[in-house]
Amino acid sequence: AWAASPNTWDFATGDDKGTIGLWPDRAMTPRVFNGATAGITHMAFSPAGRFLALADAENQVWLWDLWNERSILKTKRPS
């Protein structure tokens, strides 16, 4: 999965292992961190680019604060 920030040039990718690659504006290499416990299927930035929402293959939704690199919300979607 991938997402582009609407108001910055930031870009994020998510893979089948739950890893997030965050590409800040004009970066040549991403900041990589574990973002979910299963494969990432959907991603979206907040309008200012500070937060990243993602959904994984186990129906969990995560909200990440990218400025502090920490998860601030995790919930399970109904099947």
Side-chain angles (χ1 to χ4, degrees):
W2 63 273
S5 177
N7 291 322
T8 68
W9 290 96
D10 296 349
F11 185 81
T13 57
D15 69 12
D16 60 346
K17 294 176 180 61
T19 305
I20 295 173
L22 182 63
W23 301 78
D25 182 18
R26 297 186 179 108
M28 298 303 287
T29 57
R31 288 186 351 232
V32 178
F33 58 97
N34 219 1
T37 55
I40 298 171
T41 58
H42 300 83
M43 301 177 87
F45 277 95
S46 65
R50 177 176 182 173
F51 301 104
L52 179 68
L54 60 97
D56 69 20
E58 294 179 348
N59 287 335
Q60 295 187 80
V61 176
W62 304 73
L63 182 61
W64 281 87
D65 179 344
L66 298 176
W67 291 357
N68 296 312
E69 274 191 39
R70 66 183 181 98
S71 172
I72 57 175
L73 176 71
K74 176 183 156 187
T75 188
K76 183 129 175 140
R77 295 182 294 168
S79 296

